[in-house]
Amino acid sequence: MSDDGALRQLAQLCGVHLDFHDLSGTRRETPVPTLRALLRALGVEAESAAQVSEALALRRAGTAHRHLPDEILLRAGQPTEIAIATPCGWQLLDEDGAELAAGKADDSLALPPLEVGYYSLHLTGGGWREESFLLVRPAHAPLLSETSGHSRSWGVTTALYGLRSARNGGLGSYDDLAVAARALGAQGAQFLGINPVSALGWAATETISPYSPTHRGFFNADHIAVAAGLGPSPDGALIDYAAFRARQRPALEADYKKTARRKDFKSFCAKADASLEDFSCFEALSDRYGPDCRRWPAELQQPGPAAVAAAGQRAEFHRWLQWRAEAEIDAAQAAARGAGMSLGLYLDLAVGARPGGAEAWMHNDTIAHGVTIGAPPDQLSPQGQSWDLVAHAPGRLARARYRPLRRMLRKLMEKCGLLRIDHALGLMRSYWLPEDGSPGAYISQPFDRLLAVIAIEAHRARCVVVGEDLGLVPAGFRQTMNEAGLYSYAVWQYETFDDGSLRPAGDLRPFSLACFSTHDTPTLRGFWYGADVEVWRGMGWLSDAGAKRRHGDRSHQRAGLRRDCNIAPTAGPDEIAGVIHGALTAAPAAMVAVQLDDVLGQIDAPNLPGTIDEHPNWRRRTGLAVENFETSPRLAEIGATMRAGNRQPPVPAEKGPMSCPE
């Protein structure tokens, strides 16, 4: 076998894809420098022929001596018999290490029916010991009908940072979220969806994107409401984050001094796991050394006694911030449920965290080093995307028994009734970009294991899960995800026939959350008038001729919408939006989300994928203060539209809950 052939064999065994087909259908082969870079990121040295040969031998030997797989997937409530070739003793332990069962096996071992959760199976034979990790999953993640009592539902999505109010001083707060939820619940909305509210990092003063967190399992302090308030949001359309933080942060420091001795804060700290201390240490150290731990003193580049000592008393302040954030989010969820929302908050899990941030620092043993996550060119961004986010290496994450993912999901799911997993395709394969400049390529993920973890945590929290499955969807991905109980994400403006025309709303997938637009797409009004095409032309992403073709395509799509939705030729923007929302509510999709920007007639999108400073991403304010939601004619109208579409019918007793697709 040639050197390159051996390298490709090793890469394939390690999950690196040797090629992929791009949006145009062109096959792109993974070059040798990319193969080496991605193997390095997985912890496999493959710089020379000798290293490749040694790595191949080790990988083959690694599974040859095992008596059982390192991981075993089981269904809850079912007895299991596992064949084993060598007589041994066995012991089954739960998550806390308590023994549940034990015995001796000659050619098989019988396990009792197990509840949903994680277990370890320990085998002992003549001179050998072995452990297998058991993931015992439910039949599927919770369904809408099982958690809400409705077979169909609707809600509103918006940007928390953009909410205006009389008290937030310039950036939407968790208290504003509660006010908005009460008003929308009164209109019949069953959920209120927001951008990720994961921690951006106290010292990361330049970071504003909610999709570039320092850690996805902790919460953003920018949204904490100051006790005395900061006065009304400024009139300007765009947020000045620096000016807001200059006012909010000293006020938070003052609040901390007044409440740090409270018993409920002490109780919060006492009940928290060790990750809270690690996170608060990172934040305290970042105050002194900056937000990127890769530039810190060597002895502080990992959690431990040295980091705790260096963080000192300042770490308590960052624990206090998390206490305040969690308390306010819990209050917002209680307000949503109290207003009649069956699901309440709809939170969003970002794809990854920033390099050098708290998540990478706390989980250095599972992070893939030397690569970041991105996407090849697709309909969201014709230039492709580099997200500058770290990835967890599949093998390392498995050896850690998925604890970083488990804890992250548990924290978010206990705060909401609906969780959206951004870029759910990453559960099956991730597009990694080497930091050495080599082209990107895909790497396989343990899809069935990750789905099992999600289903287990969702079952425990009774949380409905949506997987954002846009982009280049591999064959079988969507069906497997749906069968595990994760709903699809159907964005109507991307649901097209081969000629580019939009499918009728009646074609939107039943097992999905459907919407017309998202934070990453043109708004409804922007789509209708081709505002996104003009933005792309202004960015230089489209030539004049290309923009003309895009406008022609959009004209074709508008004509199809007019025909399918019976939109009159003389209809104005508000009437067009009303008719499209009416068609959306009648769609077969289990859930429908209406973007607040579309209800209020906003033309510009919140974010332009693939840009950082070229577009005012994550800075636009909504045009309506939350105190006025309750009396807003536009919100009353969307509520009436959704009610007319029978968006909250109870599940018929004789039919039972809606099933996952077969």
Side-chain angles (χ1 to χ4, degrees), residues 90-396:
W90 60 272
Q91 182 185 35
L92 179 67
L93 306 180
D94 68 11
E95 287 179 68
D96 299 322
E99 182 182 287
L100 298 178
K104 293 186 179 298
D106 292 322
D107 54 5
S108 67
L109 59 90
L111 297 179
L114 298 174
E115 295 181 358
V116 171
Y118 312 99
Y119 303 82
S120 58
L121 179 62
H122 297 259
L123 306 183
T124 306
W128 59 272
R129 290 178 177 274
E130 192 171 294
E131 178 185 347
S132 290
F133 180 55
L134 309 185
L135 297 95
V136 181
R137 62 180 181 84
H140 49 70
L143 305 179
L144 173 68
S145 52
E146 295 170 339
T147 58
S148 72
H150 300 306
S151 57
R152 288 154 53 87
S153 188
W154 76 281
V156 174
T157 58
T158 190
L160 176 57
Y161 59 82
L163 292 180
R164 295 177 182 268
S165 79
R167 300 184 75 251
N168 70 30
L171 196 79
S173 72
Y174 299 123
D175 279 6
D176 295 335
L177 189 60
V179 176
R182 290 190 193 97
L184 293 169
Q187 296 296 343
Q190 297 301 298
F191 58 83
L192 171 55
I194 55 174
N195 51 271
V197 288
S198 299
L200 298 184
W202 190 261
T205 54
E206 300 301 315
T207 300
I208 64 172
S209 170
Y211 290 91
S212 296
T214 186
H215 197 302
R216 292 173 292 166
F218 293 91
F219 296 104
N220 189 350
D222 286 340
H223 301 302
I224 297 173
V226 173
L230 294 173
S233 304
D235 292 334
L238 299 182
I239 296 165
D240 184 338
Y241 281 83
F244 169 77
R245 288 167 176 166
R247 295 185 61 207
Q248 186 230 23
R249 292 187 169 193
L252 288 176
E253 299 266 11
D255 284 354
Y256 161 66
K257 292 175 182 177
K258 296 174 184 176
T259 61
R261 306 278 75 83
R262 283 178 49 167
K263 289 183 179 179
D264 42 358
F265 170 50
K266 297 298 183 184
S267 176
F268 169 81
C269 294
K271 293 176 181 176
D273 61 29
S275 64
L276 177 63
E277 180 178 52
D278 287 344
F279 176 77
S280 62
C281 282
F282 177 92
E283 288 288 84
L285 292 172
S286 71
D287 280 346
R288 185 184 308 175
Y289 298 109
D292 190 337
C293 68
R294 295 170 295 183
R295 297 185 173 89
W296 294 0
E299 67 274 13
L300 301 179
Q301 290 187 11
Q302 60 282 318
V308 173
Q313 183 62 30
R314 183 63 175 173
E316 183 186 71
F317 171 65
H318 292 288
R319 288 192 289 274
W320 178 89
L321 289 173
Q322 290 305 303
W323 169 63
R324 278 286 297 272
E326 288 202 34
E328 292 182 8
I329 295 170
D330 288 342
Q333 175 67 339
R337 291 289 178 85
M341 288 189 176
S342 57
L343 296 172
L345 297 184
Y346 159 23
L347 299 184
D348 200 351
L349 176 64
V351 177
R354 291 196 313 275
E359 190 171 329
W361 183 76
M362 292 167 62
H363 303 297
N364 185 61
D365 57 334
T366 65
I367 292 295
H369 299 285
V371 295
T372 56
I373 309 172
D378 61 14
Q379 66 263 50
L380 288 174
S381 177
Q383 303 300 313
Q385 299 178 61
S386 174
W387 299 329
D388 196 27
L389 301 171
V390 295
H392 290 269
R396 292 174 179 171

Side-chain angles (χ1 to χ4, degrees), residues 436-519:
D436 65 7
S438 303
Y442 281 106
I443 184 161
S444 293
Q445 298 289 337
F447 192 25
D448 55 351
R449 270 68 170 165
L450 297 179
L451 286 177
V453 171
I454 292 167
I456 289 168
E457 297 301 334
H459 172 86
R460 290 174 163 180
R462 289 186 55 78
C463 181
V464 177
V465 184
V466 173
E468 185 264 283
D469 50 357
L470 304 179
L472 304 172
V473 181
F477 170 83
R478 189 167 281 144
Q479 179 181 357
T480 302
M481 185 184 78
N482 293 161
E483 288 173 351
L486 278 67
Y487 289 82
S488 287
Y489 192 60
V491 181
W492 191 2
Q493 61 182 275
Y494 287 153
E495 298 288 324
T496 61
F497 291 109
D498 290 342
D499 67 355
S501 61
L502 299 192
R503 294 178 177 275
D507 284 358
L508 295 175
R509 295 182 296 281
F511 202 75
S512 72
L513 182 148
C515 55
F516 188 85
S517 61
T518 78
H519 60 271

Side-chain angles (χ1 to χ4, degrees), residues 524-525 528-529 562 565-583 598-599 601 634 637 641:
L524 194 160
R525 188 171 292 197
W528 191 264
Y529 293 110
R562 286 188 184 278
C565 299
N566 295 316
I567 299 174
T570 57
D574 291 342
E575 185 179 352
I576 291 168
V579 173
I580 289 176
H581 284 145
D598 292 339
V599 176
R634 288 179 180 265
E637 183 178 344
T641 297

